[in-house]
Amino acid sequence: MEGDRLEPAVTIKNIERELICPACKELFTHPLILPCQHSICHKCVKEILFFTLEDSFTDLGSESSSQSSPRIRIHSPSLDRIDRVNRSGWKRNSLTPKTTIFPCPGCRHDVDLGERGINGLFRNFTLETIVERYRQAARAATAIMCDACKPPPQESTKSCMDCSASYCNECFKIHHPWGTVKAQHEYVGPTTNFRPKILMCPEHEMERVNMYCEICRRPVCHLCKLGGSHANHRVTTMSTAYKTLKCNGERAKEEASNNFDKLFEVLEERRSAALRAIEASKNLRLEKLQTQIEEYQGLLENNGLVGYAQEVLKETDQSCFVQTAKQLHVRIQKATESLKSFRPAAQTSFEDYVVDITKQEEVLGDLSFYSSGLDVPEINEEKSRMYNKALICWEHIVKEDSADTYILEYRKLNREEENATWQEIEACSKSKVISDLENNSSYAFRVRGYKGSICSPWSREVILHTPAAPVFSFLFDDKCGFNSERLMLNPRRTSVESRAGFPLLLGAERIQVGCYTTLDYIIGDTGITKGKHFWAFHVESYSYLVKVGVASNTKLQEWLHNPRDVTSPRYEQDSGHDSGSEDTCFDSSQPFTLITLGMNKFFIPKAPTAPKDSANRILPMPSCIGICLDCDRGKVGFYDADHMKCLYERQVDCSGTMYPAFALMGSAGIHLEEAITAKYLEYQDDM
């Protein structure tokens, strides 16, 4: 209630601030609208014009006059404004300037009134009316006076909503006589807020709105529904819409409360069932233990063994005592052994009755407002990548841009922790880069969309694998043994293509039998001496023959200075050597390893004991190929980098400096995998 009493005062204070002239700091009097859309009193404009023009004239002509003038100047014009005044054609001897420039008291920007001057400004009647209302309200305080009384007016007691006027009791009877149409007018307590009684349709000005469009969420008339823009829309009555819109919040609270009540009922039911089970088990165990107690008490007391033994001890005849003592000793020994092997008839621990609520706590933690209208995002596995970082991309299958923000969650999958905690990260776009993931690990990802406080269900979980080792960055070396006649690098040195060109044709022209073609080698510009490293690349599908792997600095000299003819008679198919078998003619400790790719195939090198049939050694070429070099263990592995699956691994001598090595023949192309960075993500968003 206190807030209601304070509200009018705050409103009047806010209005008063808007009704004060920025020049004279008083209520507006005949306000004029300046070109900058600020308002100023008519008299204030004239004064500012006078002072500004005089200041400009004084600054241009005589400084001594300004010193002797007793008037305090409001604002000194800037040099550029004086220059504009001069250029406007104003003459010192003219009484009325053609163009007038002065600073607006509200925004301090220069205002040019043009040749018409003040006569070109519009009068702000709306502001003038508001000021007048404010003056009247201030004079009458909070009282609303009768609009029909002769002066002096009486305080009103009623306000007619149809007449939009306030009346005292006498005037109301005079203007609303009994038995007339005006007697049926709607009246309320004294007020100045006369809203229109009938809301008219903005599209059909003569029709009143009487329906509510549920699609557009706005009132409409019957013409809008019959043949207008709402003809095919679902509409309802105004009363129904009023009740629905006004009760939406209460209905939502009621539904939420009912849903939580259902959860409480389920929890209470499970709680009661668990307590009943524990109580039943306890009673059953007590019964078994009580029976066991009675049984052993009978053994000790009710069977008479103790009393019988005491009587035997009273026997004085030695032969009779010896005969009875042996039998008694056996019975006592059996009774004692039964006591030594005593085990409770029921388990005393209730550890089997511990309730595990870990999964339920996780589910309840995700409890939120779900909306059937919010589309569930789906992670796009083709666009998502795992390399030096993780790039996760998602999209909406049904509705585009149905969410404002997203929550991306991920967790590491391992055998040690079956229920690893989800880590979450917020995203404002449909992709996110995640850093600091462990190498050689599998991660599960899921995403949900949010629109305000409403969220969608979680997407389907997607499992991606990180590289087997930290990512090794390098570029193609354009100096060491690079053959610029047959190899072509892009400016960034991340892609290489082989081109045969005229040298190969000229060489083939001199050959009479067969075709002798060499491999063109290229290496990375950075070497490796220790540790475990991983890099990936793409081989163009049109490539005829490509070899990829690693090589030591000692072997590179032989490659680059003594190229070998891979299609010489020694390597013809009839000789028993295929495109991938040359790797096997060296032992497993050689300082290089290359595998063969080509014609969309991945050729696993032939082992000495492998069968002659090569079908099981030929695999489809992955779209992205990875190499993992472990210098510490002396091993190199070749991976399907899309799924981080090792296709082939072998030993390699890492005693020297190892370089990523590539060889191309014929038409072929290799592209290094691009590292994932924030700029890469921005580029993807632009695409």
Side-chain angles (χ1 to χ4, degrees), residues 184 345 539:
Q184 306 299 322
V539 176

Side-chain angles (χ1 to χ4, degrees), residues 331-345:
R331 294 180 61 187
I332 293 175
Q333 187 176 10
K334 289 182 178 182
T336 305
E337 289 177 355
S338 64
L339 291 175
K340 288 181 180 180
S341 61
F342 172 77
R343 293 290 183 273

Side-chain angles (χ1 to χ4, degrees), residues 51-340:
F51 293 146
T52 304
L53 291 174
E54 184 176 302
D55 287 341
S56 300
F57 173 75
T58 302
D59 292 340
L60 287 170
S62 173
E63 295 182 358
S64 60
S65 62
S66 65
Q67 296 175 355
S68 60
S69 175
R71 176 180 54 82
I72 300 175
R73 292 186 296 177
I74 299 176
H75 184 268
S76 296
S78 59
L79 292 177
D80 59 338
R81 186 166 67 254
I82 295 173
D83 185 58
R84 289 197 301 272
V85 171
N86 290 334
R87 292 197 304 269
S88 66
W90 176 72
K91 298 181 180 179
R92 181 172 178 176
N93 296 329
S94 62
L95 297 177
T96 305
K98 294 182 179 180
T99 304
T100 305
I101 302 175
F102 67 94
C104 171
C107 62
R108 310 305 303 171
H109 289 92
D110 289 346
V111 176
D112 189 351
L113 300 184
E115 295 183 356
R116 297 189 60 190
I118 299 178
N119 297 330
L121 298 178
F122 288 97
R123 192 169 172 180
N124 195 339
F125 287 103
T126 302
L127 180 58
E128 193 171 344
T129 303
I130 296 174
V131 170
E132 185 60 28
R133 288 179 184 171
Y134 177 79
R135 293 180 190 275
Q136 293 178 1
R139 285 194 299 266
T142 57
I144 299 177
M145 311 309 291
C146 177
D147 296 325
C149 278
K150 294 180 180 180
Q154 301 293 321
E155 185 174 346
S156 64
T157 58
K158 298 180 180 67
S159 292
C160 179
M161 302 303 292
D162 296 274
C163 300
S164 299
S166 298
Y167 302 94
C168 63
N169 287 332
E170 295 300 326
C171 292
F172 185 81
K173 295 177 182 179
I174 296 173
H175 290 82
H176 299 79
W178 182 258
T180 63
V181 177
K182 287 190 174 183
Q184 306 299 322
H185 285 188
E186 179 185 0
Y187 63 91
V188 295
T191 183
T192 57
N193 184 17
F194 298 102
R195 292 178 296 176
K197 188 175 181 180
I198 300 176
L199 185 62
M200 308 305 291
C201 177
E203 297 182 11
H204 308 93
E205 297 180 357
M206 302 303 295
E207 300 294 331
R208 58 181 296 181
V209 295
N210 53 7
M211 291 180 287
Y212 182 81
C213 179
E214 296 182 351
I215 305 299
C216 302
R217 297 183 178 180
R218 56 171 294 182
V220 296
C221 69
H222 69 284
L223 293 181
C224 294
K225 176 61 178 173
L226 291 177
S229 58
H230 305 271
N232 298 322
H233 293 180
R234 185 174 62 254
V235 298
T236 185
T237 62
M238 291 297 291
S239 59
T240 303
Y242 172 79
K243 294 177 181 178
T244 302
L245 294 175
K246 198 165 186 178
C247 300
N248 272 345
E250 296 299 325
R251 183 183 296 106
K253 289 168 59 177
E254 183 180 356
E255 291 179 358
S257 179
N258 292 337
N259 290 331
F260 278 103
D261 288 341
K262 291 179 181 179
L263 285 178
F264 294 152
E265 291 176 2
V266 173
L267 290 174
E268 185 62 32
E269 181 181 351
R270 299 303 302 164
R271 175 177 177 273
S272 300
L275 294 179
R276 286 197 301 269
I278 295 175
E279 185 66 22
S281 177
K282 184 189 74 172
N283 293 336
L284 180 61
R285 296 181 188 189
L286 288 176
E287 291 179 4
K288 292 182 179 180
L289 291 173
Q290 185 63 33
T291 302
Q292 189 179 33
I293 290 173
E294 294 175 355
E295 179 181 350
Y296 277 90
Q297 283 181 345
L299 289 175
L300 295 174
E301 299 175 0
N302 298 334
N303 59 6
L305 180 60
V306 177
Y308 178 70
Q310 292 176 349
E311 293 297 326
V312 170
L313 290 175
K314 296 177 182 180
E315 178 63 49
T316 57
D317 189 291
Q318 295 180 358
S319 58
C320 293
F321 178 81
V322 171
Q323 181 183 11
T324 307
K326 183 180 180 181
Q327 181 183 9
L328 179 62
H329 180 268
V330 173
R331 294 180 61 187
I332 293 175
Q333 187 176 10
K334 289 182 178 182
T336 305
E337 289 177 355
S338 64
L339 291 175
K340 288 181 180 180

Side-chain angles (χ1 to χ4, degrees), residues 7-20 134:
E7 184 177 359
V10 175
T11 305
I12 291 175
K13 184 178 180 180
N14 293 337
I15 292 177
E16 185 177 2
R17 190 161 49 244
E18 298 295 328
L19 306 182
I20 294 178
Y134 177 79

